[in-house]
Amino acid sequence: MVEAVRPPVRGDRAIPPTDPDRKPLTTSAASAGAPFPLGARWDGAGTNFSVFSRAAERIELCLFDDAGAEERIELPRSTGDSWHGYVSGVGPGQRYGYRAHGRWDPSLGLRCNPAKLLLDPYARAIDGQIRWGGAIHGHIRGHPFRKQVADSAPDVPRSVVVDDTFDWGDDTRPRHPDADTVIYETHVKGISRRHPDVPASLQGTYAGLAHPAIVDHLRSLGVTSVELLPVHQFVHDGFLLDRGLRQYWGYNSIGFFAPHSEYAAGGTAGQQVDEFKSMIKALHAAGLEVILDVVYNHTGEGNHRGPTLSMRGLDNHAYYRVRPDSPRHYTDYTGTGNSLNMQEPYVLQLIMDSLRYWITEMHVDGFRFDLASALARESHTVERGSAFFDIIQQDPVIRSTKLIAEPWDVGDGGYQVGNFPAFWSEWNGRYRDDVRDLWRGEPDMLHDFGRRFTGSADLYADEGRTPAASINFITAHDGFTLLDLVSYDHKHNRANGDGNRDGESHNRSWNCGVEGPSHDPTVQELRRRQRRNLLTTLLLSQGVPMLLGGDEIGRTQQGNNNGYCQDSELSWYDWFAIDEEMLEFTRRLVAFRRAHPVFRRVRWFHDGPATGPGGHEVNGIEWCTVDGERMQDDDWHTEGAAAIAVYLSGQHLEDEQGGAVEDDSFYLTLNATADAVDFRLPDGLLGGRWQWVLDTAAPEPFVAQGGRLGEAGEVVSVAARSVVLARRVGPD
């Protein structure tokens, strides 16, 4: 097999080779040290090393100098299941790893192999990437039960001792209330890699994201929170490197405490930690929260054919869920080859310690948990009363942050939207699907749309949850961009090298009549209008809106809906082709939401005089037919109906503390049909004089002050596939 060579990356360096025949150095020795805390902890004079392994019979600490020479020191003491030792004179920048001596018997799930250099699961920095070859595997390829005795040290990354001190100055967490939150999902590298105002040496790095050019863009957009795709140290899959591709999204973690070294401009021997902290400090100073997308459900060690890099070699049976009937194999709820063992207390401790570290030491503001259903599987089923949920609920540090679940995994019963505990928010996949279906012209969507627009009370109203439990989104990293959503009916993923078999085939997208780019002005205008419709729906819905980064500037992936391996211009933001019109529209829409609490209520619509979708009592809202009459039960299911209006009262609102808030009242008309529809403005109790605020079909969507007025009972034409929003300016 030809070894795949990793392309050079700024700030990274090759791992110096080691001589497998060289005798270990013995110049240093370790005193007993302490079993806790786990990891490598420098005290100014030396470093305490502690690592968990129930399977090991002894563990060697391996220290590497700058030339790659290795010194092995046996950890002298085990306390419980922690192996530990203290080494004087070892400090920040020291590269290290472990070798675990113990039983090798894959048939029993035991995979200790001292020929494999192992990363510390608690390493706070990691230097280098994998060089794929036979040596990184614990077994001989093609012979799964035969131990591979080749030394892996020349081919694997090393853990790094770090100095935790950092001048945070007057850093303050923004702590935006849930109801005021607008999330912006982005990628550390992608957002700045091609920005012309970011110095070339900083492009694609933590420092690049913290650059004023990027920060100013985010502030001008009006978002409150930046949600970063995974920044935990991750590995690049060998099969991708063989194709000339790389892992881009980062859902392949190998270090839950270490910021990914390839995103560092200033060095990888611990400098990435300070650079990450400086990024957080800069974003906080701009009033922006930072939410991390975290992957605790699996690791980059893969299935039984995967490499031995860390946990597999330390204690495979404890860290991973092995199949009871075949311990050589793994129980896989993630689609990645393995699942962490959430029944193991040390695994739960690892996750909790990692979360606390990112909060207390790195100052992050929240987490989005990838495939969170897998974390709640103690046995086979997803359990709301799982230990994972219990310990998070009881932890005051973690509970103080924003917690967002991706509420599904690939196992049986994994789709759990609406079923997470009360203190969690969730990515609402039902919102994405129903709103897409309405605007692409699926029939009989009014009933489901009404539920999603009002915060999905059918999913989240129980157990004291609020509309903020629903993280509403139209697009996210794992799918089409907004521009591609209205430009492609089919995925176009051939650049991924998998014959276009990867990625979701059913995208609820509509190409507006032409597949891919079009120079037809009619098609172009329809696509602009559809993007406005989707963003308007998102920003005016109850719940927390999440924007996919780059949608505001018209980013395209050319129909690729699975860019996980596209670390290229296909994924990076194109700052040279900004859709200025869409950017300005998004800015104004976000600002409009921020200015009007009627669109971001902190409580559900309850106990009102009217009837809403599903027969629920509502307050402050009236759904109306195109005739201006209150919706009746049958109206929600009228065959072919795709036009509806809603009255939103600005009276008797509350803030987060229960204080009274007043706002304007609005009348929103949505026409998802292919033809213009005549809407009759309401009269009676809902009647009044209405001033146009927004018309997505207009060349200038936001109407200037003093624009068009409508009277009670007046019939107005709403263009095909458009939204019109009017403000009540008087009772008559």
Side-chain angles (χ1 to χ4, degrees):
M1 178 180 177
V2 179
E3 181 180 338
V5 179
R6 178 174 60 86
V9 177
R10 184 188 307 106
D12 196 11
R13 63 174 184 82
I15 302 171
T18 58
D19 182 357
D21 297 323
R22 182 187 56 79
K23 293 182 180 179
L25 302 176
T26 58
T27 57
S28 298
S31 59
F36 297 106
L38 291 166
R41 192 66 60 88
W42 178 61
D43 64 6
T47 300
N48 190 81
F49 296 89
S50 180
V51 62
F52 161 76
S53 177
R54 191 177 296 125
E57 297 168 1
R58 62 189 182 93
I59 288 182
E60 289 177 308
L61 169 68
C62 307
L63 305 179
F64 295 86
D65 65 19
D66 290 342
E70 178 182 354
E71 178 182 359
R72 300 183 188 179
I73 304 170
E74 186 166 331
L75 293 179
R77 192 71 58 83
S78 67
T79 303
D81 298 318
S82 296
W83 297 83
H84 51 94
Y86 180 90
V87 185
S88 298
V90 169
Q94 175 66 62
R95 296 170 179 84
Y96 72 99
Y98 294 112
R99 297 181 187 270
H101 297 257
R103 188 174 178 184
W104 166 267
D105 190 344
S107 67
L108 299 177
L110 303 172
R111 294 180 178 268
C112 291
N113 185 343
K116 309 305 155 185
L117 183 70
L118 306 175
L119 288 168
D120 181 358
Y122 278 72
R124 300 189 175 189
I126 293 172
D127 183 35
Q129 286 286 334
I130 295 172
R131 284 197 282 261
W132 287 85
I136 67 174
H137 295 83
H139 64 280
I140 297 175
R141 292 184 180 179
H143 302 278
F145 295 100
R146 292 179 59 185
K147 185 190 293 187
Q148 167 65 262
V149 297
D151 186 7
S152 70
D155 301 318
V156 295
R158 286 94 188 263
S159 308
V160 181
V161 178
V162 303
D163 180 358
D164 289 324
T165 60
F166 181 78
D167 182 8
W168 283 103
D170 58 355
D171 180 68
T172 303
R173 301 179 187 275
R175 297 192 184 278
H176 295 290
D178 290 342
D180 298 345
T181 299
V182 179
I183 297 173
Y184 184 88
E185 188 196 30
T186 191
H187 188 282
V188 168
K189 184 175 184 177
I191 192 171
S192 71
R193 181 62 180 81
R194 300 184 67 197
H195 200 293
D197 296 331
V198 177
S201 62
L202 304 182
Q203 291 176 348
T205 68
Y206 302 120
L209 176 55
H211 190 273
I214 303 299
V215 174
D216 289 348
H217 174 77
L218 296 171
R219 291 185 65 184
S220 71
L221 196 57
V223 298
T224 66
S225 311
V226 179
E227 183 176 305
L228 301 178
L229 267 71
V231 299
H232 291 170
Q233 186 77 21
F234 61 85
V235 300
H236 297 283
D237 306 274
F239 76 92
L240 290 179
L241 296 175
D242 289 342
R243 298 174 183 174
L245 302 170
R246 288 161 52 86
Q247 172 65 240
Y248 178 64
W249 287 350
Y251 292 96
N252 212 16
S253 301
I254 200 62
F256 294 149
F257 293 77
H260 189 62
S261 60
E262 292 177 309
Y263 299 155
T268 61
Q271 296 91 340
Q272 62 265 55
V273 178
D274 280 356
E275 188 174 328
F276 185 93
K277 291 177 178 178
S278 295
M279 177 194 72
I280 297 289
K281 188 176 178 180
L283 293 172
H284 281 179
L288 294 165
E289 297 175 320
V290 180
I291 298 170
L292 301 187
D293 194 334
V294 289
V295 189
Y296 294 119
N297 52 78
H298 73 281
T299 77
E301 292 188 293
N303 62 17
H304 61 284
R305 298 186 182 92
T308 296
L309 303 173
S310 181
M311 302 176 192
R312 172 175 284 144
L314 286 168
D315 195 330
N316 182 67
H317 214 291
Y319 279 110
Y320 294 113
R321 299 187 66 137
V322 299
R323 286 172 46 181
D325 60 335
S326 180
R328 183 171 76 89
H329 299 93
Y330 298 94
T331 301
D332 182 11
Y333 296 118
T334 66
T336 64
N338 65 60
S339 304
L340 283 189
N341 182 10
M342 304 306 294
Q343 294 178 305
E344 169 58 55
Y346 271 97
V347 172
L348 292 173
Q349 179 185 339
L350 173 71
I351 295 172
M352 295 303 113
D353 288 348
S354 171
L355 291 169
R356 290 189 210 92
Y357 173 74
W358 289 98
I359 298 167
T360 60
E361 296 290 336
M362 307 294 261
H363 286 207
V364 304
D365 305 285
F367 305 92
R368 179 265 191 190
F369 292 80
D370 177 67
L371 299 181
S373 292
L375 302 174
R377 293 183 184 269
E378 290 192 347
S379 55
H380 179 66
T381 59
V382 180
E383 301 175 25
R384 296 183 67 184
S386 69
F388 173 73
F389 289 138
D390 285 346
I391 58 180
I392 284 185
Q393 186 173 7
Q394 296 168 26
D395 191 299
V397 174
I398 301 173
R399 281 286 309 275
S400 68
T401 66
K402 288 181 165 68
L403 302 175
I404 303 169
E406 182 185 37
W408 50 81
D409 63 20
V410 301
D412 293 340
Y415 195 76
Q416 293 289 318
V417 174
N419 291 330
F420 275 65
F423 52 90
W424 287 76
S425 297
E426 303 174 23
W427 269 27
N428 189 350
R430 294 277 299 278
Y431 181 95
R432 172 200 59 205
D433 295 347
D434 291 346
V435 172
R436 285 186 179 189
D437 279 348
L438 176 79
W439 284 113
R440 73 188 181 106
E442 283 293 292
D444 304 322
M445 290 303 302
L446 292 185
H447 184 264
D448 290 334
F449 171 78
R451 286 175 164 172
R452 303 304 150 238
F453 183 80
T454 53
S456 297
D458 58 317
L459 302 176
Y460 302 114
D462 295 336
E463 298 186 3
R465 303 178 84 178
T466 70
S470 180
I471 306 297
N472 301 329
F473 64 102
I474 304 294
T475 52
H477 68 275
D478 54 349
F480 284 142
T481 68
L482 184 62
L483 179 58
D484 289 356
L485 185 69
V486 301
S487 303
Y488 295 90
D489 280 354
H490 309 287
K491 63 184 182 182
H492 296 263
N493 298 352
R494 296 198 176 276
N496 295 357
D498 202 27
N500 205 38
R501 292 184 296 272
D502 62 306
E504 175 60 56
S505 297
H506 184 48
N507 293 281
R508 294 180 161 87
S509 60
W510 179 45
N511 65 17
C512 296
V514 176
E515 186 74 359
S518 174
H519 298 291
D520 186 330
T522 302
V523 174
Q524 291 180 333
E525 170 54 30
L526 179 55
R527 289 176 177 176
R528 282 193 292 271
R529 188 181 303 182
Q530 285 288 80
R531 284 189 287 162
R532 294 175 193 149
N533 293 336
L534 290 161
L535 284 179
T536 299
T537 304
L538 176 65
L539 270 299
L540 300 188
S541 294
Q542 306 298 325
V544 175
M546 185 184 78
L547 299 168
L548 173 62
D551 280 351
E552 76 280 9
I553 61 172
R555 188 172 75 90
T556 177
Q557 294 179 171
Q558 301 173 21
N560 190 314
N561 72 351
N562 191 31
Y564 80 102
C565 58
Q566 294 298 325
D567 189 0
S568 66
E569 292 186 357
L570 188 70
S571 296
W572 307 335
Y573 293 25
D574 186 356
W575 294 102
F576 300 92
I578 296 175
D579 186 335
E580 295 285 357
E581 180 184 286
M582 183 56 61
L583 176 57
E584 181 60 20
F585 178 80
T586 308
R587 285 170 172 163
R588 296 193 65 174
L589 194 57
V590 173
F592 185 82
R593 176 186 176 88
R594 183 173 62 249
H596 293 286
V598 69
F599 299 109
R600 43 184 179 84
R601 296 171 59 99
V602 300
R603 300 287 183 264
W604 300 104
F605 295 110
H606 280 312
D607 302 321
T611 302
H616 297 295
E617 294 284 310
V618 296
N619 181 45
I621 183 171
E622 298 275 5
W623 291 95
C624 299
T625 67
V626 298
D627 297 323
E629 302 294 330
R630 291 173 175 170
M631 290 280 286
Q632 304 300 314
D633 287 345
D634 291 345
D635 294 326
W636 291 102
H637 303 283
T638 300
E639 185 176 354
I644 196 170
V646 58
Y647 171 88
L648 295 165
S649 173
Q651 306 300 304
H652 309 299
L653 304 174
E654 294 182 16
D655 60 20
E656 293 276 347
Q657 289 72 45
V661 176
E662 299 289 328
D663 193 11
D664 296 322
S665 296
F666 293 90
Y667 198 67
L668 181 69
T669 60
L670 299 100
N671 177 17
T673 74
D675 302 298
V677 171
D678 289 337
F679 281 81
R680 182 174 177 271
L681 296 176
D683 52 18
L685 292 175
L686 303 183
R689 177 175 290 177
W690 301 91
Q691 185 173 56
W692 265 231
V693 174
L694 172 66
D695 183 350
T696 61
E700 298 290 337
F702 279 92
V703 182
Q705 277 294 94
R708 179 179 177 184
L709 291 173
E711 305 292 336
E714 180 181 343
V715 175
V716 298
S717 180
V718 176
R721 297 189 175 96
S722 71
V723 177
V724 172
L725 178 67
R727 178 194 290 113
R728 195 169 189 256
V729 295
D732 51 40

